[in-house]
Amino acid sequence: MENLQGDDHDEAHAAATMIPHFPYFATAPPLAEPAVSTTSTDDQHGAPLEALQPPLCNHPGGLDGPQLTTTATAAAMPLMLPAMTPLDWQSLLQCLQVVPGPELQQAAAQADQYIGENDHGDQAAESSGAAGNKEKQLAKGGAGRSGKKKASRPRFAFQTRSDNDILDDGYRWRKYGQKAVKNSKHPRSYYRCTHHTCNVKKQVQRLAKDTSIVVTTYEGVHNHPCEKLMEALTPILKQLQFLSQF
DNA sequence: CGCCTTTGACCTGCGC
DNA sequence: GCGCAGGTCAAAGGCG
């Protein structure tokens, strides 16, 4: 029955976004050439991972740490994101209280729409089709039990080449589940933000085809500051404040 | 003691 | 209707 990438569908359909000139990354080395896939989104679903996977770069101990990748589902355009510190861009937006511009909002909307419309597509790749719509899956597991309809939330997937499954994004996460995934030796882990008012979740899974790559899928947006980033920024902000007096 | 991970059970939707 | 697979729950145990 199962014919292919039971785990690959995640990065294929995980909502993604383009991050236009985000200042945090501006100091990074030139972005790697995105491995642009000009295939349609439908093609993406059935496409083997390699088609979606940008040339991840290894920077062992380098200034960048893991090379982060988002896969832009709507535009079918992966984007390389050099990670200067182990923080994700959502965290940065949150902590810096940056209001996502129209591009981001549009991308998020597209991502939601994409998930809603096309989940069956990539799931069809798992010909058993048991998985069905992922959003529905999400809804039925948690919200389904509580009888609430789950609102679609933006999702973002990062691919990192790392020995460590856990990408330190500055937030605290509690693991609430782990499931074996079809056609993958590595299980998928489910995490929830430990902040009591925050309902952000993330899934962490290694690719079956390249176990050195970890796919982290975020769902939702944190509604609280990122403690680690604030810690890191506080001295800088103080210094700026001091300098601005002159 | 509080927080976390582990893990089996459970729920739900989909395909056959 | 049944089986499968994904997602979540919750009890139990570990760790600092």
Side-chain angles (χ1 to χ4, degrees):
Chain A
M1 45 186 209
E2 67 279 353
N3 52 354
L4 45 94
Q5 67 266 53
D7 60 331
D8 291 347
H9 74 273
D10 252 354
E11 62 274 14
H13 86 211
T17 184
M18 301 290 288
I19 303 178
H21 308 299
F22 190 60
Y24 181 75
F25 299 103
T27 56
L31 293 177
E33 275 294 315
V36 177
S37 163
T38 54
T39 57
S40 69
T41 49
D42 281 338
D43 287 339
Q44 269 199 51
H45 290 128
L49 173 65
E50 298 87 79
L52 301 171
Q53 188 178 317
L56 296 181
C57 303
N58 284 321
H59 295 279
L63 77 165
D64 318 9
Q67 193 83 10
L68 301 184
T69 304
T70 61
T71 52
T73 52
M77 181 163 309
L79 173 69
M80 300 298 291
L81 293 176
M84 297 295 286
T85 66
L87 283 162
D88 68 345
W89 70 273
Q90 279 191 88
S91 312
L92 292 162
L93 292 178
Q94 280 292 316
C95 296
L96 299 174
Q97 298 191 336
V98 173
V99 177
E103 295 97 337
L104 282 181
Q105 292 178 2
Q106 186 181 0
Q110 285 177 339
D112 274 347
Q113 187 181 7
Y114 174 82
I115 290 172
E117 290 178 355
N118 297 312
D119 250 1
H120 56 86
D122 62 77
Q123 297 293 350
E126 306 173 347
S127 62
S128 71
N133 185 305
K134 191 156 191 177
E135 284 298 296
K136 287 179 189 170
Q137 294 288 340
L138 288 169
K140 70 190 172 192
R145 286 192 183 185
S146 59
K148 279 187 275 184
K149 184 183 178 185
K150 180 185 179 298
S152 63
R153 299 191 293 176
R155 293 215 307 226
F156 309 89
F158 294 95
Q159 291 182 14
T160 57
R161 191 184 292 282
S162 169
D163 293 333
N164 194 351
D165 283 358
I166 308 301
L167 178 67
D168 182 5
D169 53 13
Y171 290 96
R172 295 179 62 196
W173 301 92
R174 187 194 339 271
K175 188 175 185 177
Y176 68 90
Q178 177 173 304
K179 283 290 283 190
V181 179
K182 280 188 66 178
N183 295 330
S184 178
K185 288 177 288 186
H186 299 275
R188 177 181 299 158
S189 298
Y190 301 89
Y191 297 87
R192 189 175 284 144
C193 182
T194 60
H195 196 272
H196 48 285
T197 62
C198 186
N199 197 28
V200 175
K201 296 171 188 173
K202 74 172 178 181
Q203 299 178 7
V204 177
Q205 181 183 7
R206 287 194 177 273
L207 292 184
K209 293 182 180 177
D210 186 347
T211 56
S212 66
I213 297 177
V214 179
V215 180
T216 306
T217 305
Y218 292 86
E219 181 186 319
V221 178
H222 295 279
N223 59 7
H224 57 97
C226 165
E227 297 166 14
K228 283 192 181 178
L229 180 60
M230 291 314 288
E231 280 178 27
L233 287 180
T234 298
I236 300 172
L237 291 174
K238 281 184 178 174
Q239 200 166 8
L240 284 174
Q241 233 172 359
F242 175 75
L243 291 173
S244 66
Q245 294 174 348
F246 303 101

